[in-house]
Short mmCIF file of all heavy atoms in Angstrom, two decimals:
data_model
loop_
_atom_site.label_atom_id
_atom_site.label_comp_id
_atom_site.label_asym_id
_atom_site.label_seq_id
_atom_site.Cartn_x
_atom_site.Cartn_y
_atom_site.Cartn_z
N TYR A 183 -3.34 7.11 -7.53
CA TYR A 183 -4.40 6.33 -6.82
C TYR A 183 -5.62 7.50 -6.74
O TYR A 183 -6.66 6.98 -7.03
CB TYR A 183 -4.13 5.94 -5.48
CG TYR A 183 -3.21 4.68 -5.45
CD1 TYR A 183 -1.83 4.77 -5.42
CD2 TYR A 183 -3.78 3.51 -5.49
CE1 TYR A 183 -1.11 3.52 -5.41
CE2 TYR A 183 -3.14 2.25 -5.56
CZ TYR A 183 -1.82 2.32 -5.51
OH TYR A 183 -1.00 1.22 -5.53
N ASP A 184 -5.38 8.67 -6.62
CA ASP A 184 -6.55 9.59 -6.56
C ASP A 184 -7.20 9.70 -7.97
O ASP A 184 -8.41 9.82 -7.92
CB ASP A 184 -5.96 11.07 -6.21
CG ASP A 184 -5.51 11.18 -4.77
OD1 ASP A 184 -6.21 10.77 -3.84
OD2 ASP A 184 -4.43 11.68 -4.60
N ARG A 185 -6.49 9.64 -8.92
CA ARG A 185 -7.16 9.74 -10.27
C ARG A 185 -7.82 8.35 -10.65
O ARG A 185 -8.96 8.38 -11.17
CB ARG A 185 -6.03 9.97 -11.38
CG ARG A 185 -5.75 11.48 -11.44
CD ARG A 185 -4.83 11.72 -12.66
NE ARG A 185 -4.42 13.23 -12.70
CZ ARG A 185 -3.41 13.73 -12.01
NH1 ARG A 185 -2.68 12.95 -11.11
NH2 ARG A 185 -3.20 15.08 -12.04
N SER A 186 -7.26 7.26 -10.30
CA SER A 186 -7.69 5.98 -10.64
C SER A 186 -8.99 5.72 -9.83
O SER A 186 -9.86 4.79 -10.28
CB SER A 186 -6.67 4.88 -10.44
OG SER A 186 -5.57 5.17 -11.13
N PHE A 187 -9.08 6.19 -8.62
CA PHE A 187 -10.36 5.95 -7.68
C PHE A 187 -11.15 7.15 -7.42
O PHE A 187 -11.89 7.11 -6.41
CB PHE A 187 -9.72 5.34 -6.47
CG PHE A 187 -9.20 3.95 -6.64
CD1 PHE A 187 -7.87 3.78 -6.83
CD2 PHE A 187 -9.93 2.84 -6.87
CE1 PHE A 187 -7.19 2.57 -7.06
CE2 PHE A 187 -9.49 1.52 -7.11
CZ PHE A 187 -8.08 1.44 -7.16
N GLY A 188 -10.98 8.19 -8.31
CA GLY A 188 -11.84 9.29 -8.21
C GLY A 188 -13.35 8.88 -8.28
O GLY A 188 -14.24 9.67 -7.57
N PHE A 189 -13.70 7.97 -8.86
CA PHE A 189 -15.07 7.52 -8.99
C PHE A 189 -15.67 7.05 -7.62
O PHE A 189 -16.90 6.96 -7.57
CB PHE A 189 -15.19 6.32 -10.03
CG PHE A 189 -14.57 5.07 -9.56
CD1 PHE A 189 -15.30 4.14 -8.82
CD2 PHE A 189 -13.25 4.74 -9.92
CE1 PHE A 189 -14.75 2.91 -8.45
CE2 PHE A 189 -12.62 3.59 -9.46
CZ PHE A 189 -13.42 2.67 -8.69
N THR A 190 -14.93 6.74 -6.78
CA THR A 190 -15.47 6.23 -5.39
C THR A 190 -16.17 7.29 -4.62
O THR A 190 -16.89 7.10 -3.68
CB THR A 190 -14.27 5.78 -4.51
OG1 THR A 190 -13.35 6.80 -4.14
CG2 THR A 190 -13.50 4.53 -5.07
N ARG A 191 -15.96 8.60 -5.13
CA ARG A 191 -16.81 9.71 -4.55
C ARG A 191 -18.39 9.53 -4.90
O ARG A 191 -19.23 10.22 -4.43
CB ARG A 191 -16.22 10.99 -4.88
CG ARG A 191 -14.85 11.20 -4.45
CD ARG A 191 -14.52 12.64 -4.66
NE ARG A 191 -13.08 12.91 -4.19
CZ ARG A 191 -12.69 13.38 -2.98
NH1 ARG A 191 -13.59 13.47 -2.11
NH2 ARG A 191 -11.49 13.52 -2.64
N ARG A 192 -18.53 8.94 -6.10
CA ARG A 192 -20.07 8.87 -6.67
C ARG A 192 -20.63 7.46 -6.23
O ARG A 192 -19.90 6.52 -5.73
CB ARG A 192 -19.89 8.89 -8.20
CG ARG A 192 -19.19 10.17 -8.61
CD ARG A 192 -19.36 10.17 -10.10
NE ARG A 192 -18.68 9.15 -10.93
CZ ARG A 192 -17.33 9.27 -11.20
NH1 ARG A 192 -16.60 10.25 -10.94
NH2 ARG A 192 -16.90 8.14 -11.76
N ALA A 193 -21.90 7.31 -6.27
CA ALA A 193 -22.61 6.11 -6.00
C ALA A 193 -22.32 5.10 -7.02
O ALA A 193 -21.96 5.42 -8.17
CB ALA A 193 -23.96 6.38 -5.87
N GLY A 194 -22.19 3.90 -6.56
CA GLY A 194 -21.96 2.73 -7.57
C GLY A 194 -20.99 1.78 -6.96
O GLY A 194 -20.43 1.98 -5.88
N PRO A 195 -20.64 0.78 -7.65
CA PRO A 195 -19.77 -0.30 -7.22
C PRO A 195 -18.41 0.37 -6.96
O PRO A 195 -18.00 1.23 -7.72
CB PRO A 195 -19.60 -1.35 -8.27
CG PRO A 195 -20.78 -1.05 -9.23
CD PRO A 195 -21.15 0.32 -9.00
N ARG A 196 -17.70 -0.11 -5.94
CA ARG A 196 -16.24 0.41 -5.64
C ARG A 196 -15.61 -0.57 -4.60
O ARG A 196 -16.29 -1.28 -3.99
CB ARG A 196 -16.45 1.88 -4.89
CG ARG A 196 -17.46 1.81 -3.67
CD ARG A 196 -16.90 2.90 -2.68
NE ARG A 196 -15.75 2.61 -2.08
CZ ARG A 196 -15.15 3.27 -1.10
NH1 ARG A 196 -15.74 4.37 -0.57
NH2 ARG A 196 -13.94 2.92 -0.61
N PRO A 197 -14.27 -0.58 -4.70
CA PRO A 197 -13.54 -1.35 -3.81
C PRO A 197 -13.32 -0.68 -2.42
O PRO A 197 -13.51 0.58 -2.36
CB PRO A 197 -12.18 -1.48 -4.55
CG PRO A 197 -12.04 -0.25 -5.20
CD PRO A 197 -13.38 0.00 -5.69
N ARG A 198 -13.01 -1.37 -1.45
CA ARG A 198 -12.50 -0.76 -0.19
C ARG A 198 -11.08 -0.36 -0.22
O ARG A 198 -10.28 -1.27 -0.69
CB ARG A 198 -12.74 -1.85 1.00
CG ARG A 198 -14.02 -2.52 1.09
CD ARG A 198 -15.07 -1.58 1.69
NE ARG A 198 -14.87 -1.46 3.19
CZ ARG A 198 -15.65 -0.78 4.05
NH1 ARG A 198 -16.62 -0.13 3.52
NH2 ARG A 198 -15.36 -0.80 5.37
N LEU A 199 -10.68 0.79 0.03
CA LEU A 199 -9.40 1.46 -0.15
C LEU A 199 -8.73 1.25 1.21
O LEU A 199 -9.28 1.88 2.25
CB LEU A 199 -9.50 2.78 -0.64
CG LEU A 199 -10.29 2.89 -1.96
CD1 LEU A 199 -10.16 4.40 -2.47
CD2 LEU A 199 -9.63 2.04 -3.17
N ILE A 200 -7.65 0.68 1.31
CA ILE A 200 -6.92 0.45 2.66
C ILE A 200 -5.51 0.83 2.42
O ILE A 200 -4.77 0.16 1.62
CB ILE A 200 -7.07 -1.03 3.21
CG1 ILE A 200 -8.57 -1.39 3.39
CG2 ILE A 200 -6.20 -1.24 4.33
CD1 ILE A 200 -8.88 -2.75 3.78
N GLY A 201 -4.93 1.81 3.25
CA GLY A 201 -3.55 2.24 3.06
C GLY A 201 -2.71 1.41 4.13
O GLY A 201 -3.24 1.07 5.21
N LEU A 202 -1.53 1.12 3.69
CA LEU A 202 -0.54 0.40 4.45
C LEU A 202 0.77 1.29 4.70
O LEU A 202 1.21 1.90 3.88
CB LEU A 202 -0.10 -0.88 3.77
CG LEU A 202 -1.23 -1.80 3.30
CD1 LEU A 202 -0.58 -3.14 2.74
CD2 LEU A 202 -2.16 -2.26 4.46
N ALA A 203 1.21 1.20 6.03
CA ALA A 203 2.25 1.95 6.36
C ALA A 203 3.09 1.54 7.65
O ALA A 203 2.46 0.77 8.38
CB ALA A 203 1.97 3.53 6.62
N HIS A 204 4.34 1.92 7.79
CA HIS A 204 4.99 1.72 9.06
C HIS A 204 4.41 2.54 10.13
O HIS A 204 4.01 3.76 9.71
CB HIS A 204 6.55 1.94 8.97
CG HIS A 204 7.37 0.93 8.05
ND1 HIS A 204 7.54 -0.27 8.56
CD2 HIS A 204 7.69 1.01 6.80
CE1 HIS A 204 8.14 -0.94 7.60
NE2 HIS A 204 8.28 -0.16 6.52
N HIS A 205 4.40 2.26 11.29
CA HIS A 205 3.93 3.13 12.34
C HIS A 205 4.67 4.39 12.38
O HIS A 205 4.08 5.51 12.84
CB HIS A 205 3.94 2.39 13.75
CG HIS A 205 3.35 3.25 14.87
ND1 HIS A 205 2.11 3.51 14.99
CD2 HIS A 205 4.06 3.77 15.93
CE1 HIS A 205 1.99 4.28 16.08
NE2 HIS A 205 3.11 4.42 16.58
N CYS A 206 5.96 4.42 12.16
CA CYS A 206 6.82 5.69 12.25
C CYS A 206 6.44 6.68 11.21
O CYS A 206 6.83 7.76 11.20
CB CYS A 206 8.22 5.22 12.15
SG CYS A 206 8.78 4.64 10.48
N GLN A 207 5.52 6.29 10.25
CA GLN A 207 4.93 7.22 9.29
C GLN A 207 3.75 7.93 9.74
O GLN A 207 3.17 8.85 9.03
CB GLN A 207 4.64 6.56 7.86
CG GLN A 207 5.85 5.90 7.20
CD GLN A 207 5.50 4.85 6.18
OE1 GLN A 207 5.68 3.81 6.20
NE2 GLN A 207 4.90 5.53 5.01
#
Side-chain angles (χ1 to χ4, degrees):
Y183 284 97
D184 289 315
R185 286 183 176 86
S186 301
F187 293 98
F189 67 89
T190 60
R191 295 184 183 278
R192 304 185 297 271
R196 52 151 296 189
R198 306 283 283 183
L199 305 179
I200 299 175
L202 306 183
H204 290 282
H205 180 68
C206 69
Q207 295 170 244

